[in-house]
Amino acid sequence: MPDGAAHEKDFLLSPTSSRSVTQTVNGSHKFVIQGYSLAKGMGIGKHIASDNFTVGGYQWAIYFYPDGKNPEDNSTYVSVFIALASEGTDVRALFELTLVDQSGRGKHKVHSHFDRSLESGPYTLKYRGSMWGYKRFFRRAMLETSDFLKDDCLKINCTVGVVVSAMDCSRLHSIRVPESDIGTHFGMLLENQEGSDVAFHVDGEKFYAHKLVLAARSSVFRDQFFKADEEDSKQEIVVTDLEPKVFKAMLHFIYRDTLMEDEELEASSSSCESTLSESLAAKLLAAADKYGLGRLRLMCESYLCKDISVNSVASTLALADRYHAMELKAVCLKFAAENLAAVMRSNGFEYLKEHCPALQSELLKTVAGCEEECSSGGKSRSVWAQLSDGGDTNGRRVFSGSCDIQR
């Protein structure tokens, strides 16, 4: 066989290949607008913005215009838009806006790019501040008598699908790896009490556990079990400052790295001022602080952060300061500073003045920071302006949006 033919055969037997895959990277955001009736009348072209959220490497925000975006409509419609909130050029994306039916019947109002053919392809946002949405999203008179508005609250869900193209070889031969199940295995160890070597007596209830597991998760337990004198390392320990349900929830976290699914814990995020310190989330926060469980502390902070209000912010601030919950404390200070007039009229503020004078000083520093932000062009409303016009006296939450503490 001629040498040239042999080389040609080798080439044909050794092909190369590549594949470009164009798909969307999807992400969603839930935007709750509390106090719709108070937002009405803010003016045509003025909007309420959600927190920024990240999808596909870009930041996005939902803009809700209670009096409409278009002057020609004369406030007949509400407008809803999705805006590119970070730097970007020619960002191509699909969008879906859903106005949630709060009657429970599931008759949501949905505008979607997904699952339908697009004549001109995905929408292209040219630069930061570009928007996609509807000037005539819903006729305002119909909205105000519909099941979309409940307890003066609207809920909007938004999904963004950012179009990306990439060379892909992993999809040609891929093996799916399941989620980690180590928490399940350790949880069974706790439930079955296999190999337990320490028992805790908590107000009449007995909990069996494993020193090595506790020590691996908590430096406090590690010091108690392995740095104490051998004769002081007890097999039975009496706990006097935690309730059984709190200790049980703490053990659940230590072994499974999750919070218990507990109705009482779910309800704790909306506890009123007088019962906040008695809520399970607050008591679990105290346990996390005592035993040096930083991740558990953040989980509790996230729960308590969900429904900070004018009436609860002072007591939540005091709780956060007591148990070194620094992220929750920062959220409380900022909320109190931005809604200062209403907070000063709450009962919790009187408690703060009497029992936590140092926190009052920190609040004043935060107020000064908010004022500086306003003077430099920030979007926060002047706290001193709140004091001059009376603020909000009904105890409702004054700003909208979501609160998220990174875990």
Side-chain angles (χ1 to χ4, degrees), residues 235-282:
Q235 308 303 314
E236 305 253 344
I237 298 173
V238 177
V239 177
T240 60
D241 56 352
L242 292 180
E243 298 175 22
K245 64 180 180 181
V246 179
F247 195 83
K248 181 179 180 180
M250 184 182 72
L251 284 181
H252 180 96
F253 165 79
I254 287 175
Y255 279 79
R256 293 183 177 270
D257 202 40
T258 61
L259 291 178
M260 294 179 64
E261 295 182 4
D262 192 298
E263 292 182 0
E264 188 173 350
L265 182 63
E266 291 286 347
S268 67
S269 62
S270 58
S271 298
C272 64
E273 175 192 355
S274 60
T275 60
L276 177 64
S277 61
E278 293 301 313
S279 68
L280 181 56

mmCIF file of all heavy atoms in Angstrom, residues 235-282:
data_model
loop_
_atom_site.group_PDB
_atom_site.id
_atom_site.type_symbol
_atom_site.label_atom_id
_atom_site.label_comp_id
_atom_site.label_asym_id
_atom_site.label_seq_id
_atom_site.Cartn_x
_atom_site.Cartn_y
_atom_site.Cartn_z
ATOM 1 N N GLN A 235 -19.980 10.551 81.720
ATOM 2 C CA GLN A 235 -20.841 9.843 80.767
ATOM 3 C C GLN A 235 -22.284 10.341 80.837
ATOM 4 O O GLN A 235 -23.071 10.084 79.943
ATOM 5 C CB GLN A 235 -20.813 8.331 81.069
ATOM 6 C CG GLN A 235 -19.412 7.748 81.171
ATOM 7 C CD GLN A 235 -18.595 7.970 79.924
ATOM 8 O OE1 GLN A 235 -19.073 7.746 78.823
ATOM 9 N NE2 GLN A 235 -17.362 8.440 80.098
ATOM 10 N N GLU A 236 -22.621 11.033 81.923
ATOM 11 C CA GLU A 236 -23.969 11.573 82.101
ATOM 12 C C GLU A 236 -23.833 13.053 82.433
ATOM 13 O O GLU A 236 -23.095 13.438 83.348
ATOM 14 C CB GLU A 236 -24.697 10.843 83.236
ATOM 15 C CG GLU A 236 -24.755 9.340 83.077
ATOM 16 C CD GLU A 236 -26.150 8.847 82.703
ATOM 17 O OE1 GLU A 236 -27.092 9.631 82.874
ATOM 18 O OE2 GLU A 236 -26.273 7.703 82.244
ATOM 19 N N ILE A 237 -24.535 13.881 81.677
ATOM 20 C CA ILE A 237 -24.408 15.331 81.837
ATOM 21 C C ILE A 237 -25.797 15.936 82.018
ATOM 22 O O ILE A 237 -26.724 15.636 81.260
ATOM 23 C CB ILE A 237 -23.722 15.962 80.603
ATOM 24 C CG1 ILE A 237 -22.302 15.399 80.448
ATOM 25 C CG2 ILE A 237 -23.692 17.484 80.711
ATOM 26 C CD1 ILE A 237 -21.606 15.833 79.175
ATOM 27 N N VAL A 238 -25.939 16.779 83.021
ATOM 28 C CA VAL A 238 -27.201 17.463 83.282
ATOM 29 C C VAL A 238 -27.140 18.856 82.653
ATOM 30 O O VAL A 238 -26.215 19.621 82.898
ATOM 31 C CB VAL A 238 -27.468 17.577 84.797
ATOM 32 C CG1 VAL A 238 -28.764 18.353 85.049
ATOM 33 C CG2 VAL A 238 -27.542 16.183 85.420
ATOM 34 N N VAL A 239 -28.136 19.159 81.815
ATOM 35 C CA VAL A 239 -28.233 20.470 81.169
ATOM 36 C C VAL A 239 -29.402 21.216 81.799
ATOM 37 O O VAL A 239 -30.546 20.743 81.758
ATOM 38 C CB VAL A 239 -28.458 20.332 79.647
ATOM 39 C CG1 VAL A 239 -28.624 21.701 78.997
ATOM 40 C CG2 VAL A 239 -27.296 19.571 79.019
ATOM 41 N N THR A 240 -29.121 22.353 82.392
ATOM 42 C CA THR A 240 -30.157 23.070 83.145
ATOM 43 C C THR A 240 -30.675 24.325 82.457
ATOM 44 O O THR A 240 -31.687 24.874 82.883
ATOM 45 C CB THR A 240 -29.604 23.475 84.527
ATOM 46 O OG1 THR A 240 -28.457 24.318 84.339
ATOM 47 C CG2 THR A 240 -29.216 22.240 85.335
ATOM 48 N N ASP A 241 -29.989 24.782 81.407
ATOM 49 C CA ASP A 241 -30.366 26.077 80.814
ATOM 50 C C ASP A 241 -30.973 25.957 79.424
ATOM 51 O O ASP A 241 -31.122 26.949 78.726
ATOM 52 C CB ASP A 241 -29.150 27.015 80.763
ATOM 53 C CG ASP A 241 -27.969 26.404 80.022
ATOM 54 O OD1 ASP A 241 -28.044 25.203 79.676
ATOM 55 O OD2 ASP A 241 -26.982 27.121 79.788
ATOM 56 N N LEU A 242 -31.341 24.740 79.003
ATOM 57 C CA LEU A 242 -32.021 24.557 77.720
ATOM 58 C C LEU A 242 -33.248 23.679 77.927
ATOM 59 O O LEU A 242 -33.228 22.748 78.746
ATOM 60 C CB LEU A 242 -31.103 23.895 76.691
ATOM 61 C CG LEU A 242 -29.908 24.694 76.168
ATOM 62 C CD1 LEU A 242 -29.125 23.861 75.161
ATOM 63 C CD2 LEU A 242 -30.353 26.001 75.540
ATOM 64 N N GLU A 243 -34.299 23.953 77.178
ATOM 65 C CA GLU A 243 -35.491 23.112 77.213
ATOM 66 C C GLU A 243 -35.258 21.871 76.360
ATOM 67 O O GLU A 243 -34.453 21.894 75.418
ATOM 68 C CB GLU A 243 -36.695 23.887 76.688
ATOM 69 C CG GLU A 243 -37.047 25.109 77.506
ATOM 70 C CD GLU A 243 -38.167 25.908 76.860
ATOM 71 O OE1 GLU A 243 -38.913 25.325 76.048
ATOM 72 O OE2 GLU A 243 -38.269 27.110 77.140
ATOM 73 N N PRO A 244 -35.966 20.776 76.637
ATOM 74 C CA PRO A 244 -35.787 19.547 75.844
ATOM 75 C C PRO A 244 -35.992 19.758 74.344
ATOM 76 O O PRO A 244 -35.220 19.258 73.533
ATOM 77 C CB PRO A 244 -36.851 18.606 76.425
ATOM 78 C CG PRO A 244 -37.021 19.070 77.835
ATOM 79 C CD PRO A 244 -36.860 20.555 77.793
ATOM 80 N N LYS A 245 -37.017 20.538 73.948
ATOM 81 C CA LYS A 245 -37.277 20.726 72.520
ATOM 82 C C LYS A 245 -36.131 21.503 71.855
ATOM 83 O O LYS A 245 -35.814 21.261 70.683
ATOM 84 C CB LYS A 245 -38.601 21.449 72.307
ATOM 85 C CG LYS A 245 -38.650 22.868 72.853
ATOM 86 C CD LYS A 245 -39.995 23.526 72.595
ATOM 87 C CE LYS A 245 -40.035 24.957 73.138
ATOM 88 N NZ LYS A 245 -41.354 25.593 72.909
ATOM 89 N N VAL A 246 -35.510 22.404 72.596
ATOM 90 C CA VAL A 246 -34.385 23.169 72.057
ATOM 91 C C VAL A 246 -33.162 22.271 71.934
ATOM 92 O O VAL A 246 -32.465 22.290 70.904
ATOM 93 C CB VAL A 246 -34.072 24.386 72.943
ATOM 94 C CG1 VAL A 246 -32.884 25.166 72.387
ATOM 95 C CG2 VAL A 246 -35.294 25.290 73.077
ATOM 96 N N PHE A 247 -32.887 21.471 72.948
ATOM 97 C CA PHE A 247 -31.735 20.566 72.906
ATOM 98 C C PHE A 247 -31.908 19.537 71.799
ATOM 99 O O PHE A 247 -30.951 19.209 71.083
ATOM 100 C CB PHE A 247 -31.574 19.867 74.260
ATOM 101 C CG PHE A 247 -30.233 19.213 74.429
ATOM 102 C CD1 PHE A 247 -29.132 19.950 74.835
ATOM 103 C CD2 PHE A 247 -30.069 17.867 74.167
ATOM 104 C CE1 PHE A 247 -27.882 19.349 74.984
ATOM 105 C CE2 PHE A 247 -28.828 17.255 74.305
ATOM 106 C CZ PHE A 247 -27.734 18.004 74.714
ATOM 107 N N LYS A 248 -33.126 19.049 71.627
ATOM 108 C CA LYS A 248 -33.404 18.083 70.562
ATOM 109 C C LYS A 248 -33.167 18.710 69.187
ATOM 110 O O LYS A 248 -32.585 18.077 68.293
ATOM 111 C CB LYS A 248 -34.845 17.585 70.675
ATOM 112 C CG LYS A 248 -35.226 16.550 69.630
ATOM 113 C CD LYS A 248 -36.663 16.082 69.824
ATOM 114 C CE LYS A 248 -37.036 15.042 68.772
ATOM 115 N NZ LYS A 248 -38.446 14.577 68.940
ATOM 116 N N ALA A 249 -33.624 19.940 69.011
ATOM 117 C CA ALA A 249 -33.415 20.634 67.732
ATOM 118 C C ALA A 249 -31.939 20.880 67.473
ATOM 119 O O ALA A 249 -31.467 20.800 66.328
ATOM 120 C CB ALA A 249 -34.179 21.951 67.727
ATOM 121 N N MET A 250 -31.178 21.167 68.529
ATOM 122 C CA MET A 250 -29.741 21.387 68.381
ATOM 123 C C MET A 250 -29.037 20.093 67.983
ATOM 124 O O MET A 250 -28.163 20.091 67.095
ATOM 125 C CB MET A 250 -29.155 21.944 69.672
ATOM 126 C CG MET A 250 -27.668 22.295 69.553
ATOM 127 S SD MET A 250 -26.947 22.908 71.103
ATOM 128 C CE MET A 250 -26.882 21.386 72.057
ATOM 129 N N LEU A 251 -29.391 18.979 68.618
ATOM 130 C CA LEU A 251 -28.802 17.697 68.242
ATOM 131 C C LEU A 251 -29.133 17.332 66.801
ATOM 132 O O LEU A 251 -28.288 16.806 66.068
ATOM 133 C CB LEU A 251 -29.298 16.590 69.181
ATOM 134 C CG LEU A 251 -28.702 16.533 70.584
ATOM 135 C CD1 LEU A 251 -29.296 15.360 71.361
ATOM 136 C CD2 LEU A 251 -27.181 16.407 70.540
ATOM 137 N N HIS A 252 -30.361 17.616 66.401
ATOM 138 C CA HIS A 252 -30.762 17.349 65.014
ATOM 139 C C HIS A 252 -29.838 18.089 64.059
ATOM 140 O O HIS A 252 -29.366 17.521 63.062
ATOM 141 C CB HIS A 252 -32.215 17.781 64.793
ATOM 142 C CG HIS A 252 -32.710 17.545 63.399
ATOM 143 N ND1 HIS A 252 -33.423 16.421 63.062
ATOM 144 C CD2 HIS A 252 -32.590 18.284 62.265
ATOM 145 C CE1 HIS A 252 -33.717 16.475 61.768
ATOM 146 N NE2 HIS A 252 -33.229 17.606 61.261
ATOM 147 N N PHE A 253 -29.544 19.347 64.342
ATOM 148 C CA PHE A 253 -28.631 20.116 63.481
ATOM 149 C C PHE A 253 -27.223 19.522 63.513
ATOM 150 O O PHE A 253 -26.579 19.385 62.468
ATOM 151 C CB PHE A 253 -28.579 21.574 63.925
ATOM 152 C CG PHE A 253 -27.409 22.310 63.328
ATOM 153 C CD1 PHE A 253 -27.459 22.767 62.020
ATOM 154 C CD2 PHE A 253 -26.250 22.497 64.063
ATOM 155 C CE1 PHE A 253 -26.357 23.393 61.456
ATOM 156 C CE2 PHE A 253 -25.156 23.132 63.506
ATOM 157 C CZ PHE A 253 -25.205 23.584 62.198
ATOM 158 N N ILE A 254 -26.729 19.198 64.694
ATOM 159 C CA ILE A 254 -25.360 18.696 64.815
ATOM 160 C C ILE A 254 -25.165 17.442 63.973
ATOM 161 O O ILE A 254 -24.139 17.289 63.298
ATOM 162 C CB ILE A 254 -25.031 18.426 66.298
ATOM 163 C CG1 ILE A 254 -24.843 19.761 67.041
ATOM 164 C CG2 ILE A 254 -23.788 17.558 66.437
ATOM 165 C CD1 ILE A 254 -24.638 19.603 68.537
ATOM 166 N N TYR A 255 -26.154 16.556 63.957
ATOM 167 C CA TYR A 255 -26.005 15.294 63.234
ATOM 168 C C TYR A 255 -26.397 15.404 61.758
ATOM 169 O O TYR A 255 -25.788 14.756 60.901
ATOM 170 C CB TYR A 255 -26.851 14.206 63.907
ATOM 171 C CG TYR A 255 -26.193 13.598 65.118
ATOM 172 C CD1 TYR A 255 -26.197 14.254 66.350
ATOM 173 C CD2 TYR A 255 -25.549 12.363 65.056
ATOM 174 C CE1 TYR A 255 -25.600 13.701 67.473
ATOM 175 C CE2 TYR A 255 -24.946 11.799 66.180
ATOM 176 C CZ TYR A 255 -24.976 12.475 67.383
ATOM 177 O OH TYR A 255 -24.372 11.917 68.485
ATOM 178 N N ARG A 256 -27.406 16.229 61.446
ATOM 179 C CA ARG A 256 -27.925 16.260 60.080
ATOM 180 C C ARG A 256 -27.565 17.531 59.308
ATOM 181 O O ARG A 256 -27.764 17.598 58.096
ATOM 182 C CB ARG A 256 -29.453 16.104 60.094
ATOM 183 C CG ARG A 256 -29.930 14.735 60.566
ATOM 184 C CD ARG A 256 -31.442 14.628 60.475
ATOM 185 N NE ARG A 256 -31.943 13.315 60.852
ATOM 186 C CZ ARG A 256 -32.108 12.299 60.008
ATOM 187 N NH1 ARG A 256 -31.806 12.466 58.727
ATOM 188 N NH2 ARG A 256 -32.580 11.136 60.422
ATOM 189 N N ASP A 257 -27.072 18.546 60.004
ATOM 190 C CA ASP A 257 -26.713 19.829 59.381
ATOM 191 C C ASP A 257 -27.927 20.520 58.758
ATOM 192 O O ASP A 257 -27.813 21.277 57.794
ATOM 193 C CB ASP A 257 -25.625 19.639 58.317
ATOM 194 C CG ASP A 257 -24.867 20.938 58.044
ATOM 195 O OD1 ASP A 257 -24.591 21.657 59.018
ATOM 196 O OD2 ASP A 257 -24.572 21.231 56.876
ATOM 197 N N THR A 258 -29.101 20.256 59.296
ATOM 198 C CA THR A 258 -30.324 20.923 58.850
ATOM 199 C C THR A 258 -31.147 21.295 60.076
ATOM 200 O O THR A 258 -30.904 20.793 61.182
ATOM 201 C CB THR A 258 -31.181 20.015 57.940
ATOM 202 O OG1 THR A 258 -31.572 18.843 58.686
ATOM 203 C CG2 THR A 258 -30.416 19.593 56.704
ATOM 204 N N LEU A 259 -32.138 22.142 59.866
ATOM 205 C CA LEU A 259 -33.081 22.452 60.928
ATOM 206 C C LEU A 259 -34.233 21.459 60.907
ATOM 207 O O LEU A 259 -34.605 20.947 59.845
ATOM 208 C CB LEU A 259 -33.634 23.873 60.761
ATOM 209 C CG LEU A 259 -32.657 25.023 61.006
ATOM 210 C CD1 LEU A 259 -33.361 26.348 60.761
ATOM 211 C CD2 LEU A 259 -32.101 24.983 62.417
ATOM 212 N N MET A 260 -34.783 21.216 62.071
ATOM 213 C CA MET A 260 -35.955 20.339 62.154
ATOM 214 C C MET A 260 -37.131 20.989 61.451
ATOM 215 O O MET A 260 -37.288 22.208 61.457
ATOM 216 C CB MET A 260 -36.324 20.077 63.619
ATOM 217 C CG MET A 260 -35.302 19.299 64.403
ATOM 218 S SD MET A 260 -35.807 19.045 66.136
ATOM 219 C CE MET A 260 -37.273 18.028 65.916
ATOM 220 N N GLU A 261 -37.965 20.174 60.841
ATOM 221 C CA GLU A 261 -39.222 20.669 60.287
ATOM 222 C C GLU A 261 -40.220 20.738 61.431
ATOM 223 O O GLU A 261 -40.808 19.749 61.825
ATOM 224 C CB GLU A 261 -39.729 19.756 59.172
ATOM 225 C CG GLU A 261 -38.816 19.722 57.957
ATOM 226 C CD GLU A 261 -39.368 18.840 56.863
ATOM 227 O OE1 GLU A 261 -40.490 18.328 57.039
ATOM 228 O OE2 GLU A 261 -38.678 18.657 55.846
ATOM 229 N N ASP A 262 -40.376 21.930 61.967
ATOM 230 C CA ASP A 262 -41.163 22.104 63.177
ATOM 231 C C ASP A 262 -42.069 23.307 63.001
ATOM 232 O O ASP A 262 -41.616 24.398 62.683
ATOM 233 C CB ASP A 262 -40.244 22.304 64.387
ATOM 234 C CG ASP A 262 -40.982 22.206 65.700
ATOM 235 O OD1 ASP A 262 -41.886 23.037 65.921
ATOM 236 O OD2 ASP A 262 -40.661 21.310 66.498
ATOM 237 N N GLU A 263 -43.377 23.117 63.190
ATOM 238 C CA GLU A 263 -44.325 24.214 63.015
ATOM 239 C C GLU A 263 -44.021 25.365 63.962
ATOM 240 O O GLU A 263 -44.187 26.531 63.633
ATOM 241 C CB GLU A 263 -45.751 23.719 63.245
ATOM 242 C CG GLU A 263 -46.240 22.745 62.172
ATOM 243 C CD GLU A 263 -47.669 22.317 62.411
ATOM 244 O OE1 GLU A 263 -48.270 22.785 63.404
ATOM 245 O OE2 GLU A 263 -48.181 21.509 61.618
ATOM 246 N N GLU A 264 -43.535 25.029 65.149
ATOM 247 C CA GLU A 264 -43.229 26.074 66.122
ATOM 248 C C GLU A 264 -42.055 26.928 65.645
ATOM 249 O O GLU A 264 -42.028 28.133 65.816
ATOM 250 C CB GLU A 264 -42.911 25.451 67.471
ATOM 251 C CG GLU A 264 -42.766 26.485 68.588
ATOM 252 C CD GLU A 264 -42.618 25.844 69.959
ATOM 253 O OE1 GLU A 264 -42.810 24.621 70.060
ATOM 254 O OE2 GLU A 264 -42.331 26.578 70.912
ATOM 255 N N LEU A 265 -41.079 26.268 64.990
ATOM 256 C CA LEU A 265 -39.944 27.008 64.449
ATOM 257 C C LEU A 265 -40.389 27.885 63.292
ATOM 258 O O LEU A 265 -39.983 29.038 63.166
ATOM 259 C CB LEU A 265 -38.852 26.044 63.988
ATOM 260 C CG LEU A 265 -37.575 26.680 63.445
ATOM 261 C CD1 LEU A 265 -36.887 27.499 64.517
ATOM 262 C CD2 LEU A 265 -36.634 25.613 62.911
ATOM 263 N N GLU A 266 -41.254 27.365 62.425
ATOM 264 C CA GLU A 266 -41.764 28.149 61.305
ATOM 265 C C GLU A 266 -42.491 29.387 61.802
ATOM 266 O O GLU A 266 -42.364 30.467 61.239
ATOM 267 C CB GLU A 266 -42.734 27.302 60.460
ATOM 268 C CG GLU A 266 -42.067 26.182 59.696
ATOM 269 C CD GLU A 266 -41.274 26.685 58.512
ATOM 270 O OE1 GLU A 266 -41.438 27.861 58.142
ATOM 271 O OE2 GLU A 266 -40.487 25.907 57.952
ATOM 272 N N ALA A 267 -43.256 29.230 62.879
ATOM 273 C CA ALA A 267 -44.041 30.353 63.395
ATOM 274 C C ALA A 267 -43.175 31.377 64.103
ATOM 275 O O ALA A 267 -43.560 32.534 64.250
ATOM 276 C CB ALA A 267 -45.119 29.842 64.358
ATOM 277 N N SER A 268 -41.969 30.970 64.513
ATOM 278 C CA SER A 268 -41.158 31.869 65.332
ATOM 279 C C SER A 268 -40.713 33.102 64.574
ATOM 280 O O SER A 268 -40.457 34.138 65.160
ATOM 281 C CB SER A 268 -39.930 31.131 65.862
ATOM 282 O OG SER A 268 -39.048 30.803 64.807
ATOM 283 N N SER A 269 -40.636 33.004 63.223
ATOM 284 C CA SER A 269 -40.166 34.162 62.469
ATOM 285 C C SER A 269 -41.178 35.288 62.460
ATOM 286 O O SER A 269 -40.855 36.411 62.132
ATOM 287 C CB SER A 269 -39.854 33.749 61.025
ATOM 288 O OG SER A 269 -41.011 33.279 60.382
ATOM 289 N N SER A 270 -42.443 34.986 62.813
ATOM 290 C CA SER A 270 -43.453 36.039 62.860
ATOM 291 C C SER A 270 -43.909 36.329 64.281
ATOM 292 O O SER A 270 -44.972 36.874 64.509
ATOM 293 C CB SER A 270 -44.662 35.625 62.000
ATOM 294 O OG SER A 270 -45.199 34.410 62.449
ATOM 295 N N SER A 271 -43.083 35.944 65.246
ATOM 296 C CA SER A 271 -43.446 36.172 66.641
ATOM 297 C C SER A 271 -43.576 37.659 66.930
ATOM 298 O O SER A 271 -42.834 38.468 66.415
ATOM 299 C CB SER A 271 -42.388 35.569 67.566
ATOM 300 O OG SER A 271 -42.299 34.184 67.386
ATOM 301 N N CYS A 272 -44.523 37.992 67.768
ATOM 302 C CA CYS A 272 -44.670 39.389 68.150
ATOM 303 C C CYS A 272 -43.608 39.737 69.181
ATOM 304 O O CYS A 272 -42.897 38.880 69.695
ATOM 305 C CB CYS A 272 -46.070 39.656 68.697
ATOM 306 S SG CYS A 272 -46.430 38.762 70.216
ATOM 307 N N GLU A 273 -43.527 41.016 69.488
ATOM 308 C CA GLU A 273 -42.463 41.520 70.367
ATOM 309 C C GLU A 273 -42.441 40.801 71.709
ATOM 310 O O GLU A 273 -41.390 40.426 72.203
ATOM 311 C CB GLU A 273 -42.667 43.021 70.548
ATOM 312 C CG GLU A 273 -41.702 43.643 71.518
ATOM 313 C CD GLU A 273 -42.120 45.054 71.876
ATOM 314 O OE1 GLU A 273 -43.088 45.558 71.293
ATOM 315 O OE2 GLU A 273 -41.474 45.640 72.762
ATOM 316 N N SER A 274 -43.627 40.586 72.300
ATOM 317 C CA SER A 274 -43.676 40.056 73.654
ATOM 318 C C SER A 274 -43.261 38.593 73.721
ATOM 319 O O SER A 274 -42.836 38.115 74.769
ATOM 320 C CB SER A 274 -45.098 40.220 74.221
ATOM 321 O OG SER A 274 -46.023 39.513 73.408
ATOM 322 N N THR A 275 -43.371 37.848 72.616
ATOM 323 C CA THR A 275 -43.068 36.422 72.648
ATOM 324 C C THR A 275 -41.823 36.072 71.860
ATOM 325 O O THR A 275 -41.470 34.906 71.764
ATOM 326 C CB THR A 275 -44.253 35.610 72.077
ATOM 327 O OG1 THR A 275 -44.481 36.010 70.709
ATOM 328 C CG2 THR A 275 -45.509 35.856 72.883
ATOM 329 N N LEU A 276 -41.136 37.049 71.288
ATOM 330 C CA LEU A 276 -39.975 36.757 70.451
ATOM 331 C C LEU A 276 -38.921 35.972 71.207
ATOM 332 O O LEU A 276 -38.421 34.952 70.725
ATOM 333 C CB LEU A 276 -39.374 38.059 69.910
ATOM 334 C CG LEU A 276 -38.114 37.901 69.065
ATOM 335 C CD1 LEU A 276 -38.421 37.121 67.802
ATOM 336 C CD2 LEU A 276 -37.519 39.253 68.729
ATOM 337 N N SER A 277 -38.583 36.396 72.424
ATOM 338 C CA SER A 277 -37.529 35.724 73.181
ATOM 339 C C SER A 277 -37.931 34.318 73.601
ATOM 340 O O SER A 277 -37.077 33.506 73.944
ATOM 341 C CB SER A 277 -37.158 36.552 74.415
ATOM 342 O OG SER A 277 -38.287 36.691 75.271
ATOM 343 N N GLU A 278 -39.239 34.029 73.579
ATOM 344 C CA GLU A 278 -39.725 32.705 73.954
ATOM 345 C C GLU A 278 -39.901 31.788 72.756
ATOM 346 O O GLU A 278 -40.273 30.623 72.905
ATOM 347 C CB GLU A 278 -41.072 32.827 74.697
ATOM 348 C CG GLU A 278 -40.968 33.511 76.053
ATOM 349 C CD GLU A 278 -40.017 32.763 76.991
ATOM 350 O OE1 GLU A 278 -40.144 31.531 77.086
ATOM 351 O OE2 GLU A 278 -39.150 33.415 77.590
ATOM 352 N N SER A 279 -39.638 32.286 71.554
ATOM 353 C CA SER A 279 -39.805 31.468 70.351
ATOM 354 C C SER A 279 -38.691 30.440 70.258
ATOM 355 O O SER A 279 -37.591 30.618 70.804
ATOM 356 C CB SER A 279 -39.808 32.347 69.104
ATOM 357 O OG SER A 279 -38.534 32.921 68.891
ATOM 358 N N LEU A 280 -38.961 29.343 69.549
ATOM 359 C CA LEU A 280 -37.967 28.289 69.411
ATOM 360 C C LEU A 280 -36.749 28.782 68.655
ATOM 361 O O LEU A 280 -35.613 28.434 68.983
ATOM 362 C CB LEU A 280 -38.590 27.083 68.690
ATOM 363 C CG LEU A 280 -37.673 25.874 68.482
ATOM 364 C CD1 LEU A 280 -37.091 25.396 69.802
ATOM 365 C CD2 LEU A 280 -38.424 24.749 67.787
ATOM 366 N N ALA A 281 -36.945 29.609 67.641
ATOM 367 C CA ALA A 281 -35.808 30.128 66.860
ATOM 368 C C ALA A 281 -34.882 30.957 67.738
ATOM 369 O O ALA A 281 -33.657 30.857 67.631
ATOM 370 C CB ALA A 281 -36.311 30.961 65.687
ATOM 371 N N ALA A 282 -35.474 31.776 68.631
ATOM 372 C CA ALA A 282 -34.651 32.602 69.530
ATOM 373 C C ALA A 282 -33.882 31.731 70.522
ATOM 374 O O ALA A 282 -32.698 31.965 70.797
ATOM 375 C CB ALA A 282 -35.529 33.607 70.262
#
